[in-house]
Amino acid sequence: MPATPGEISASMSSTFSLNSSSASRNGVDSPSREFLSEDRRRRRRRDTVDRESHGSPSRQLLWEFSQMLINNDRKFNEQLDLDAAEREKLHQEELARAALEHERIRQSAERERQRLALEEERQRQQREEEEKRELDRLRQEKVQLEIASQKRQLEQRKQEEEQRRQAAEHARQLAETDARIKAQKEKDEADQKRRVDQAESDRKAREAAAAADKAKSQQAQLVQQLQQHPPQPPQQVLQPSTGPATSGTSSVAPPRSVGTSPLQSTVAEREANHQKYLDLHKRLKEFRSNMVAMSKQHPTLKGKLGDARRDLRTRTGQITNDRTAHTKSIGKIREVFQEAISAGGPTVDIRSFIIPPYPSVSNEREAQYSAFLLYLLNQFAKILISQFIGEASNEGKTIDSIGLIGISIFADDQFKWKGVSLIDVLMAKYHAVCPVLFGIYGRETTQRGKERLGWARTEAGGPFVTTNVHNERMLGLGYGYAALSLRIYKNKVPPLPSSEYWRALACIINTPSADITSTHLIVLKGMVQETPEKFIQLFGQAAIAALRMAVIDVPARAPPTASEAANMLRVIADVWKRDLHLTLE
């Protein structure tokens, strides 16, 4: 049967009550809950009206049942509210405890941070104190070292002054002794000279008479020999002339060689002379090492040696073909050597660094020479060799200027010893790097042969340089030797006379065909390529004959292994014919 309005109301009341209970159980206080409470009040008023309007017992029972449900629901909701309040209280207490724990942890962390900060500050202060103490200690040590250094310098100056004073006193005593000895010696020599002159005059008169008789006898014998044995034409062997020749023959009288073996010499003589210069080269290397070791003990000397060596290398590297610049360059280079003379310092017995013969000395003091100056001349010789090699690619044009300045230093009287040039220092270098200039042979296919021909190594004890590098070295050294020796001097004895150029040229040209190597031909090319005019000016027709043999005859008899170098020599004849109108064929 259809539901009555009271049942519907009770049902709705029950539904709202359940919903309310459910909302209360979920702990949600929302506007919907307030709406339900208000709705229950309206139904309660409506039920009261209905009960009053309809006094049916069933309705009364239904109302009471509904009221009971409402009361239960209310109690349930109140209980839920109490539980929710209790949980809220517990939650707030937990939050409060968590906040207290958080604050405790924060304060503990803050105290730890402060402790660490204090510890770091204490360590920083400790480090600063230690650094300060270390700086104070170093400062005190520096002061003590400076004081000790000043004391040593003062003592050293005192010792040097005392040594100079003693040396001056000793020199004065020697000078006085020498003066007395010299005066007595001059007196004795004057007396002896008068006696000798008288005896010599008598002897010459006798010898003149005997010589006249002997000359007449020899002339008669020579006329008889020429009638019996007519003279033969000269052999085609290159020998140098003392001056311009008037005939086309290449067999002319040789000039005397300076500082080297005679022009006409045997293989054994050339080998012996070559070994003398190699020994000198070894002594110069030892001397250089000793000077470097000595300079390490004397910082002032070390600085002077290094500065002078670098200055020489820089000045020599700035040489060009500009004649105006030559005067400035040689002036600057000469200043370096003059400063070495004025610097004084230790001395050496110079006789150990000159190939005999050399002037005799009356005492060891006369044989002393500035060690600083000898060191610089030795370094200068090395620099010249390096410059000759480095400028080989420029066809020898700059090398001529370098050679002019180099030889002028060795010709300078203020750098000589008793009038003797120290050109042997430079020649010792040349003997070590270019032996073929001095008649030395060797096979390029063997290690020993390459060493004898002057092949360089990439490093001490390392492999030999390549063929191209070797050829460029030999070409530059040939240019350089010609630049040093083919010079015309006026009123001065040349340290390396032009006869040395002829001697070196003869050594190569007269090399047996089987012993000719590419090294010989490359050096020969460097010697003659840029010098025909000057060579002919010095030696005349003999030079033309020598040039013909150098660029035509020698390449023609060179072995096949040297064909490439031989072809380079052959081309030179065509160049001279085109540029100089010099015909050799």
Side-chain angles (χ1 to χ4, degrees):
M1 57 181 298
T4 64
E7 293 173 348
I8 294 172
S9 176
S11 176
M12 292 176 62
S13 175
S14 176
T15 300
F16 280 110
S17 177
L18 290 174
N19 290 334
S20 176
S21 298
S22 176
S24 178
R25 282 193 303 271
N26 290 331
V28 179
D29 291 332
S30 64
S32 61
R33 186 171 181 179
E34 294 179 0
F35 173 76
L36 291 175
S37 298
E38 182 63 25
D39 184 66
R40 280 195 297 272
R41 283 193 296 273
R42 286 196 301 272
R43 286 200 305 271
R44 199 177 294 122
R45 284 194 300 272
R46 202 169 40 248
D47 291 342
T48 301
V49 174
D50 290 342
R51 191 175 57 251
E52 289 176 355
S53 301
H54 307 280
S56 170
S58 60
R59 289 183 177 276
Q60 181 65 29
L61 182 61
L62 181 60
W63 181 86
E64 291 176 356
F65 182 72
S66 298
Q67 192 66 32
M68 183 183 65
L69 289 176
I70 292 170
N71 291 335
N72 288 338
D73 186 58
R74 184 179 65 253
K75 291 179 181 180
F76 181 75
N77 287 333
E78 290 175 353
Q79 185 63 37
L80 288 176
D81 292 339
L82 290 175
D83 291 343
E86 185 65 21
R87 284 194 300 274
E88 178 68 19
K89 179 180 178 182
L90 293 175
H91 180 66
Q92 293 297 329
E93 290 177 353
E94 288 294 332
L95 289 176
R97 284 195 296 273
L100 290 174
E101 181 65 16
H102 177 74
E103 180 63 20
R104 184 187 66 78
I105 293 173
R106 188 191 65 76
Q107 292 177 356
S108 177
E110 179 65 20
R111 288 194 297 272
E112 182 65 17
R113 185 190 65 77
Q114 293 176 355
R115 185 187 69 78
L116 291 175
L118 290 174
E119 180 65 20
E120 290 179 355
E121 179 64 20
R122 183 184 64 78
Q123 292 178 356
R124 184 186 63 79
Q125 293 177 354
Q126 184 177 358
R127 286 195 301 271
E128 290 179 352
E129 289 294 331
E130 291 177 353
E131 291 175 356
K132 183 178 179 181
R133 287 194 296 271
E134 182 66 17
L135 288 174
D136 291 341
R137 184 184 65 80
L138 293 175
R139 192 178 296 110
Q140 291 176 358
E141 289 182 355
K142 182 178 179 181
V143 171
Q144 293 174 356
L145 289 174
E146 290 178 352
I147 294 174
S149 176
Q150 292 175 357
K151 289 181 178 179
R152 286 194 300 271
Q153 292 177 0
L154 182 60
E155 291 294 330
Q156 184 177 357
R157 284 196 295 270
K158 288 181 179 179
Q159 292 177 1
E160 291 176 352
E161 291 175 358
E162 180 63 22
Q163 291 174 356
R164 284 195 294 270
R165 187 190 64 77
Q166 293 177 357
E169 179 64 22
H170 183 63
R172 185 185 62 80
Q173 294 175 357
L174 287 176
E176 291 178 353
T177 303
D178 289 345
R180 289 194 297 271
I181 293 173
K182 184 178 180 180
Q184 183 62 37
K185 184 178 180 181
E186 289 176 350
K187 183 176 180 298
D188 295 341
E189 288 178 350
D191 295 339
Q192 180 67 19
K193 187 174 184 301
R194 283 193 296 270
R195 292 192 295 269
V196 170
D197 288 345
Q198 183 62 40
E200 183 69 14
S201 178
D202 296 340
R203 184 185 64 80
K204 285 182 178 181
R206 291 192 300 270
E207 288 180 352
D213 294 340
K214 184 177 180 180
K216 293 178 181 179
S217 175
Q218 289 178 346
Q219 185 175 5
Q221 293 176 1
L222 181 59
V223 170
Q224 184 179 2
Q225 290 176 359
L226 288 174
Q227 292 174 349
Q228 296 175 358
H229 303 286
Q232 300 296 322
Q235 296 180 352
Q236 187 69 2
V237 176
L238 180 62
Q239 299 297 340
S241 167
T242 56
T246 59
S247 65
T249 180
S250 61
S251 179
V252 291
R256 179 174 177 79
S257 178
V258 178
T260 59
S261 60
L263 295 175
Q264 293 176 319
S265 59
T266 64
V267 173
E269 290 172 339
R270 292 197 298 269
E271 290 282 356
N273 188 69
H274 179 59
Q275 189 58 48
K276 289 180 183 179
Y277 278 92
L278 292 182
D279 294 340
L280 173 57
H281 183 255
K282 185 182 298 184
R283 292 196 297 273
L284 286 168
K285 291 179 67 175
E286 294 174 354
F287 165 73
R288 185 173 69 250
S289 299
N290 293 336
M291 283 292 291
V292 173
M294 184 190 304
S295 68
K296 293 180 179 179
Q297 301 175 2
H298 301 82
T300 304
L301 178 60
K302 181 179 180 181
K304 289 182 179 179
L305 290 181
D307 292 343
R309 183 179 65 252
R310 285 187 292 271
D311 202 5
L312 279 179
R313 184 179 295 109
T314 301
R315 299 295 182 187
T316 309
Q318 294 173 347
I319 296 174
T320 64
N321 293 324
D322 185 0
R323 283 193 166 275
T324 305
H326 284 178
T327 305
K328 295 182 179 179
S329 297
I330 196 170
K332 295 292 185 181
I333 293 173
R334 188 173 281 111
E335 286 178 4
V336 177
F337 290 105
Q338 290 170 342
E339 289 175 1
I341 296 175
S342 60
T347 60
V348 294
D349 189 334
I350 197 60
R351 292 173 295 182
S352 299
F353 305 99
I354 299 176
I355 300 298
Y358 39 71
S360 60
V361 296
S362 58
N363 55 62
E364 294 298 318
R365 186 165 55 86
E366 291 185 10
Q368 297 303 304
Y369 189 85
S370 169
F372 192 3
L373 181 57
L374 177 61
Y375 174 83
L376 290 186
L377 287 172
N378 188 27
Q379 290 293 328
F380 186 54
K382 289 183 60 179
I383 293 169
L384 288 176
I385 296 293
S386 298
Q387 288 294 110
F388 291 156
I389 295 172
E391 295 290 340
S393 59
N394 294 330
E395 298 296 329
K397 294 179 175 58
T398 305
I399 291 179
D400 186 69
S401 301
I402 297 171
L404 172 61
I405 293 178
I407 202 65
S408 67
I409 292 296
F410 286 97
D412 198 316
D413 291 336
Q414 60 184 328
F415 308 138
K416 294 179 180 180
W417 170 72
K418 295 179 75 66
V420 177
S421 169
L422 268 70
I423 192 66
D424 285 342
V425 173
L426 178 56
M427 288 300 99
K429 304 289 183 186
Y430 252 105
H431 273 268
V433 297
C434 194
V436 297
L437 287 169
F438 309 97
I440 304 303
Y441 307 151
R443 297 187 179 276
E444 292 181 320
T445 56
T446 66
Q447 178 174 328
R448 175 58 179 162
K450 285 187 174 182
E451 290 175 350
R452 283 177 57 80
L453 291 172
W455 279 70
R457 295 181 182 270
T458 56
E459 58 185 9
F464 290 105
V465 298
T466 63
T467 301
N468 289 338
V469 173
H470 172 71
N471 288 344
E472 186 168 348
R473 285 172 57 85
M474 294 300 106
L475 185 63
L477 292 171
Y479 283 137
Y481 197 81
L484 292 169
S485 56
L486 276 184
R487 295 292 172 189
I488 300 174
Y489 295 85
K490 294 181 180 179
N491 303 322
K492 181 177 288 188
V493 177
L496 190 67
S498 56
S499 59
E500 282 299 291
Y501 176 86
W502 189 294
R503 180 205 51 76
L505 197 66
C507 282
I508 297 177
I509 290 177
N510 293 331
T511 301
S513 298
D515 293 318
I516 294 177
T517 64
S518 295
T519 300
H520 289 86
L521 302 180
I522 293 295
V523 174
L524 187 58
K525 177 178 182 291
M527 291 182 67
V528 303
Q529 183 171 0
E530 300 295 329
T531 59
E533 296 172 303
K534 188 181 296 184
F535 187 29
I536 294 172
Q537 180 183 359
L538 286 168
F539 293 96
Q541 291 296 323
I544 296 177
L547 294 175
R548 181 186 303 112
M549 297 178 68
V551 301
I552 296 178
D553 296 346
V554 174
R557 60 187 181 86
T561 54
S563 60
E564 185 176 352
N567 290 333
M568 288 191 295
L569 269 177
R570 291 190 186 97
V571 172
I572 295 178
D574 297 331
V575 175
W576 288 343
K577 185 175 181 180
R578 181 196 65 198
D579 297 342
L580 304 178
H581 306 290
L582 175 61
T583 302
L584 299 178
E585 296 179 354

